[in-house]
């Protein structure tokens, strides 16, 4: 999970969503109250679940480690095949806009000639 979260695309997407969430909470007082309550609820459930699941995770540790290693290798191969994962969202959007602008310019040129 940490490796996926550290991918530039995932990390920057999380930053964008987080910023939008924070902005929404600041802009809308009614939503802020709902979001604060939801955050507290999630935190409570997470804490309760963590204490219950910890003994099970300790028993499954060797299996979890093997699965983590397998997932890491798969993620590495995926990163090689999809270099897009190594780029932040802003860069991908910028490159997409440039590509679309170039395509539109080509189409306009073809139509006008």
């Amino acid at each position: 999970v940490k490796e996926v979260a550290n991918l530039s695309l995932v990390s920057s997407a999380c930053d964008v969503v987080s910023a939008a969430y924070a902005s929404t909470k600041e802009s809308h007082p009614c939503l802020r109250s709902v979001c604060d309550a939801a955050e507290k609820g999630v935190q409570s459930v997470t804490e309760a679940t963590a204490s219950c699941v910890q003994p099970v995770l300790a028993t499954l540790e060797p299996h979890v480690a093997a699965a983590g290693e397998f997932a890491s290798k798969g993620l590495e191969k995926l990163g090689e095949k999809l270099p897009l994962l190594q780029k932040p969202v802003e860069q991908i959007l910028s490159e997409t806009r440039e590509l679309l602008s170039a395509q539109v310019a080509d189409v306009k040129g073809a139509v006008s000639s």
Side-chain angles (χ1 to χ4, degrees):
V1 172
K2 287 180 184 176
E3 289 183 39
V4 171
N6 286 333
L7 291 171
S8 293
L9 177 63
V10 175
S11 176
S12 65
C14 287
D15 291 344
V16 168
V17 170
S18 179
Y21 177 76
S23 174
T24 300
K25 278 179 63 173
E26 287 179 24
S27 302
H28 304 283
C30 293
L31 285 178
R32 182 181 321 135
S33 300
V34 172
C35 291
D36 288 343
E39 289 170 16
K40 288 178 185 174
V42 168
Q43 184 178 6
S44 298
V45 169
T46 301
E47 290 169 358
T49 304
S51 64
C52 295
V53 172
Q54 193 60 39
V56 175
L57 287 179
T59 305
L60 296 175
E61 182 61 36
H63 303 291
V64 171
E69 187 176 323
F70 180 74
S72 180
K73 288 179 183 176
L75 187 58
E76 188 176 308
K77 287 182 181 179
L78 187 62
E80 291 170 2
K81 293 183 180 188
L82 294 171
L84 186 73
L85 295 174
Q86 305 303 327
K87 296 179 180 182
V89 170
E90 297 83 9
Q91 183 179 356
I92 294 169
L93 291 174
S94 174
E95 290 174 359
T96 302
R97 284 186 198 111
E98 289 174 14
L99 179 63
L100 287 173
S101 293
Q103 293 296 324
V104 168
D106 289 346
V107 169
K108 282 182 179 178
V111 169
S112 63
S113 65

